[in-house]
Amino acid sequence: MSKLVNGYNAVLISADVTVGQDIDGCKNDIGKNGQLTIWESENLHPGQKYIRFRTADRSVEIQTACGDISISNDIFEITTQSGANTYRFKLIEHIQTIDFRMRLPERYWHICNGCGKREFLSSKEAFEQGWDYPGPYGLYKTMPNYGFGMIAPRTCGDCCIAMDKLYLALATKSESVEEVLREEKETLERIQNEPWSVLESEEDLGGENG
């Protein structure tokens, strides 16, 4: 569950991105005006904050992982992924916010980055079936839960971490990482837009094989 902390009309003035985003796309978005909202994680990473930035026409939608935030002279900065990504915004005006909390449903889509399997499961069900996957209750089989939006293993019980091509390339700093990032663009976008990208109901997506 996340709590909306603050909101601003803002302009994206720089994006130094190496992990988890379309790097060229971010550069093309410099100078665009939109709504910047700041969220506080209450369960996965209590007290830590992340942001969402969206233009009015939704041509730009950015959601970061939790990171370090600073504001100085109306310049807002957030650094995530252990310093790999830094976004800066010029704050234009504060917008009124309400006490809003995003509650995650019990079940959501689990998509294996190894074999492509899709299962509509709760975190508990996925854990019992051997999945490595982030979730609202911090259940993770082989390592700490890095949370939605973070580059971490997403594999089913039949696949090992080594089969997660995207995670392996980034974790080992492979020489082919740029090629992998291009090949796995859709996977990157899905992860970057979590949890929203995995929250559609099973019926909306036509069931497991829809």
Side-chain angles (χ1 to χ4, degrees):
M1 185 166 65
S2 296
K3 177 175 68 175
L4 178 60
V5 175
N6 237 323
Y8 300 89
N9 287 324
V11 176
L12 178 64
I13 58 176
S14 69
D16 301 321
V17 180
T18 58
V19 175
Q21 281 277 8
D22 180 344
I23 297 172
D24 292 331
C26 286
K27 291 179 180 177
N28 294 332
D29 295 334
I30 302 301
K32 293 188 177 180
N33 189 306
Q35 187 175 93
L36 172 70
T37 51
I38 305 169
W39 298 79
E40 180 177 312
S41 175
E42 294 188 323
N43 289 340
L44 290 177
H45 307 285
Q48 295 188 40
K49 296 180 177 65
Y50 63 94
I51 63 108
R52 296 189 75 198
F53 178 72
R54 175 184 291 172
T55 56
D57 62 2
R58 296 196 176 188
S59 62
V60 180
E61 292 193 57
I62 297 171
Q63 179 193 319
T64 70
C66 289
D68 297 322
I69 287 175
S70 65
I71 301 178
S72 177
N73 297 323
D74 293 329
I75 302 298
F76 175 97
E77 179 177 298
I78 182 168
T79 301
T80 68
Q81 302 281 18
S82 299
N85 298 347
T86 299
Y87 301 87
R88 297 179 186 86
F89 299 86
K90 172 68 175 178
L91 302 181
I92 306 302
E93 62 179 348
H94 184 264
I95 57 177
Q96 185 175 1
T97 58
I98 60 174
D99 185 9
F100 176 82
R101 285 171 169 79
M102 181 185 70
R103 295 182 180 274
L104 297 174
E106 180 182 2
R107 288 181 172 83
Y108 57 95
W109 285 103
H110 289 64
I111 304 168
C112 179
N113 289 353
C115 66
K117 180 188 296 182
R118 299 168 60 90
E119 297 280 356
F120 202 67
L121 305 167
S122 68
S123 288
K124 182 178 180 181
E125 290 168 340
F127 180 80
E128 291 173 346
Q129 295 178 28
W131 284 76
D132 269 319
Y133 220 85
Y137 304 110
L139 295 173
Y140 221 83
K141 184 162 64 71
T142 61
M143 60 180 61
N145 185 355
Y146 289 102
F148 289 122
M150 297 289 287
I151 303 297
R154 285 162 174 76
T155 52
C156 68
D158 296 326
C159 293
C160 63
I161 290 176
M163 297 176 69
D164 189 332
K165 188 176 181 180
L166 174 62
Y167 171 74
L168 189 65
L170 292 171
T172 61
K173 299 181 179 179
S174 167
E175 293 182 358
S176 63
V177 65
E178 291 187 6
E179 179 182 349
V180 172
L181 288 172
R182 288 193 296 271
E183 293 176 354
E184 301 295 319
K185 181 179 179 181
E186 290 186 8
T187 300
L188 275 172
E189 291 177 350
R190 166 168 50 82
I191 292 172
Q192 187 66 31
N193 289 312
E194 290 174 345
W196 293 271
S197 61
V198 294
L199 294 190
E200 296 95 339
S201 71
E202 191 170 12
E203 290 77 14
D204 288 342
L205 294 187
E208 186 178 312
N209 298 314

